[in-house]
Amino acid sequence: MCKLSELYNKNPSKTETKLRTCVNYGINLKLNNMNLSKNICMAAILIMAACSKENIVRPTDMEQTSEKTCRVSFLPVFMEIGQGDINQWNNSRAGTLAELATTLSYWDYMDGEQMQADTVSLPSPLTLNMKYGAHHVYFLAHSSTGGSMEGMKYTPEKVTETLWEDFSLQVDENMASSQELQMKRVVSRAMITVKDAFPASVKSVRMTVGGHLRTLDVTTGNGDADSASDYTITWEIGDEYAGRSGLYFSVFTFTPTESEEFDVTLKIEALGADGKMLYGAQASGVPLLRNRCTNAICRLFSGNTGITFSDPADWNPAIEIEM
């Protein structure tokens, strides 16, 4: 019987070739089995490491965190920024919203999904039950008695003094349960002051604002430019106003931007008992600006063209123009 090494040194016969093949197969099989065992051991070690206590995330833990809620109280206040000096707060106008508005609406969002929305009466406290996580809440305070909502665009029955805020809040165990909500005015005020005395024949006054913005985008606080139109309002004038001068009439409007002026047309008409116009005046290119009152002064019933300026007693500084 020859040695295995001698088989490789001779010219192999068919039988020897088969033997050599069998030996090679056995060696390779043994090596492959050894590699396979090593791979299985390594895989087992990696699986055990991945399944260690620190790396296991139980679905129940995630569900419990996402379902956690807490009650959050909001204290809405208004502090006016005077347009005359935008860097200074006009603290004389600071106060609760109940002094300026009758209702507070809110829309609470998480990851673009609306969680809750409602309208409450002021000065009732506002407390919300909120899930843990990042919230985006839009607040709107006003005194309109009606209106419509299309998407996130609000059209009130009548634009009134309106305050707005876009409020971001991370709700978790470290959050303060009471949040102060500083709201900002998002309207401009157009005023017409009639300097001369009202005759007894005038029974009502009609004011028209051309280019009036009546719809507000709640997500930005800006007026919807597509809603610009003529807005008309009429006041009845009782007999007790006959002979009185310095009466003023005003309309609120939303503004297209926070800090840019925009022009409107103002018209005032004094009507008789039959509703027909007796006197009238009009001015175009009247500049309005958010958080500012523009006061247009006219003498409607006399030929006196002299102009005196009056303090509108609100929203200083005001711009006064002649009609």
Side-chain angles (χ1 to χ4, degrees), residues 4 6-7 14 45 116 134 149 175 201 218 262 298:
L4 183 63
E6 293 177 353
L7 289 175
K14 291 183 179 181
I45 293 171
Q116 54 188 327
M149 195 79 180
M175 177 206 65
S201 59
V218 176
F262 66 106
C298 69

Coordinates of all heavy atoms in Angstrom, one line a residue, residues 4 6-7 14 45 116 134 149 175 201 218 262 298:
L4 N -0.2 8.4 0.6 CA -1.0 9.4 -0.1 C -0.1 10.3 -0.9 O -0.4 10.7 -2.0 CB -1.8 10.2 0.9 CG -2.8 11.2 0.3 CD1 -3.8 10.4 -0.6 CD2 -3.5 12.0 1.4
E6 N 2.7 9.6 -2.3 CA 3.2 8.9 -3.5 C 2.2 8.8 -4.6 O 2.5 8.8 -5.8 CB 3.6 7.4 -3.1 CG 4.8 7.4 -2.2 CD 5.1 6.0 -1.7 OE1 4.3 5.1 -2.1 OE2 6.2 5.8 -1.1
L7 N 0.9 8.8 -4.3 CA -0.1 8.8 -5.3 C -0.1 10.1 -6.1 O -0.4 10.1 -7.3 CB -1.5 8.7 -4.6 CG -1.9 7.3 -4.0 CD1 -3.2 7.4 -3.3 CD2 -1.9 6.2 -5.1
K14 N -7.1 5.5 -13.3 CA -8.5 5.9 -13.1 C -8.9 5.7 -11.6 O -9.5 6.5 -11.0 CB -9.4 5.1 -13.9 CG -9.3 5.4 -15.4 CD -10.3 4.7 -16.2 CE -10.2 5.1 -17.7 NZ -11.1 4.3 -18.5
I45 N -23.9 35.6 18.1 CA -23.4 36.7 19.0 C -24.1 38.0 18.6 O -24.5 38.8 19.5 CB -21.9 36.8 18.9 CG1 -21.2 35.5 19.5 CG2 -21.3 38.1 19.6 CD1 -19.7 35.4 19.2
Q116 N -57.7 69.3 17.5 CA -58.9 69.9 18.1 C -59.1 71.3 17.7 O -58.1 72.0 17.3 CB -58.9 69.8 19.6 CG -57.6 70.4 20.2 CD -57.5 70.1 21.7 OE1 -58.5 70.0 22.5 NE2 -56.2 69.9 22.2
A134 N -45.0 67.7 19.7 CA -44.9 69.0 19.2 C -46.3 69.5 18.7 O -46.9 68.8 17.8 CB -43.9 69.1 18.1
M149 N -65.8 79.4 7.6 CA -64.4 78.9 7.5 C -64.3 78.0 6.3 O -65.1 77.1 6.1 CB -64.2 78.1 8.8 CG -62.7 77.8 9.0 SD -61.9 79.3 9.7 CE -60.2 78.6 9.9
M175 N -42.8 70.7 30.6 CA -43.5 71.9 30.2 C -44.3 72.6 31.3 O -44.9 71.9 32.2 CB -44.5 71.6 29.0 CG -45.3 72.7 28.5 SD -46.8 72.1 27.8 CE -47.6 71.4 29.2
S201 N -81.5 117.4 8.7 CA -82.1 116.6 7.6 C -81.4 115.3 7.4 O -81.9 114.4 6.7 CB -82.0 117.4 6.3 OG -80.7 117.8 6.0
V218 N -55.7 82.1 8.5 CA -55.4 81.9 9.9 C -53.9 81.4 10.1 O -53.3 81.5 11.2 CB -56.4 80.9 10.5 CG1 -56.1 80.5 12.0 CG2 -57.8 81.5 10.4
F262 N -50.9 99.6 2.2 CA -51.7 99.3 1.0 C -52.8 100.3 0.9 O -53.2 100.9 1.9 CB -52.3 97.9 1.1 CG -53.4 97.7 2.2 CD1 -54.7 97.6 1.9 CD2 -53.0 97.6 3.5 CE1 -55.7 97.4 2.9 CE2 -53.9 97.4 4.5 CZ -55.3 97.3 4.2
C298 N -62.9 115.5 6.9 CA -63.6 116.3 5.9 C -64.6 117.2 6.5 O -65.1 117.0 7.6 CB -64.2 115.4 4.8 SG -65.7 114.5 5.4

